[in-house]
Amino acid sequence: MPFTPIHLGPGLAFKALGGRHFSFMVFGGAQVLMDLEPLIGILQDRDVLHGVTHTGLGALVIGSVAAVIGKPISTMVLRWRKIAHPPLTWLAAMTGAYVGTFSHVLLDAIMHADMAPAWPLLRGNPMLDLIGIDPLHLACLVAGVVGLPMALMRAKAQARSSG
């Protein structure tokens, strides 16, 4: 299923680690951009759903797009929703975007046989079934369950120190 929320678990863990240097909003936007190709493939009944966008090269291109459009969109949404937030830097946008796209390729490569994550250098998917789908999903869930409270505590501490 495209736009799987399971990718957000590791994003919360990265937010806990990166704090203001990691944009979770841009990370989430990058996840959606990554799965536009599979969505189109599903709608067109294609055999290969995870093509060039689900490669290292695709992650680099989509990450760049996600950073460039994600920073102004995220800044606007935060301002519109009146959510107190430190200024969203280009570093935070790029970190969120590239961690988002490259982690997406890694996680999907473990579970989707139609991928060639190292294309054009290698054909096929050497990461397929590296671990089972259930342990993979559990690891993503645990990353989110652990990352969310840590990210919230870090944000509160940063707000106290700056305010």
Side-chain angles (χ1 to χ4, degrees):
M1 169 176 89
F3 315 119
T4 176
I6 205 73
H7 287 280
L8 299 179
L12 289 169
F14 283 114
K15 180 63 177 175
L17 294 171
R20 64 184 178 86
H21 302 294
F22 180 89
S23 172
F24 184 72
M25 289 181 69
V26 175
F27 177 92
Q31 300 304 315
V32 174
L33 290 175
M34 288 296 292
D35 275 338
L36 289 177
E37 180 187 36
L39 175 63
I40 292 166
I42 289 169
L43 295 174
Q44 295 179 345
D45 199 29
R46 291 186 190 160
D47 291 332
V48 175
L49 300 178
H50 301 88
V52 71
T53 64
H54 282 65
T55 65
L57 185 58
L60 182 64
V61 171
I62 292 172
S64 298
V65 170
V68 168
I69 68 173
K71 182 185 183 301
I73 290 171
S74 297
T75 299
M76 181 183 67
V77 168
L78 290 167
R79 191 175 304 131
W80 174 65
R81 299 285 301 151
K82 295 182 170 83
I83 297 172
H85 192 276
L88 179 57
T89 64
W90 281 109
L91 174 63
M94 289 187 295
T95 304
Y98 291 124
V99 168
T101 57
F102 283 99
S103 69
H104 192 106
V105 170
L106 175 69
L107 293 171
D108 275 10
I110 295 171
M111 57 186 286
H112 295 295
D114 64 344
M115 285 184 60
W119 178 88
L121 302 175
L122 297 172
R123 290 183 174 205
N125 185 354
M127 292 184 274
L128 183 63
D129 296 326
L130 193 62
I131 64 172
I133 292 175
D134 289 341
L136 177 66
H137 285 170
L138 181 60
C140 290
L141 179 63
V142 167
V145 167
V146 170
L148 178 60
M150 290 176 61
L152 291 172
M153 287 188 300
R154 184 173 187 159
K156 283 183 183 181
Q158 285 177 341
R160 279 194 304 267
S161 69
S162 66

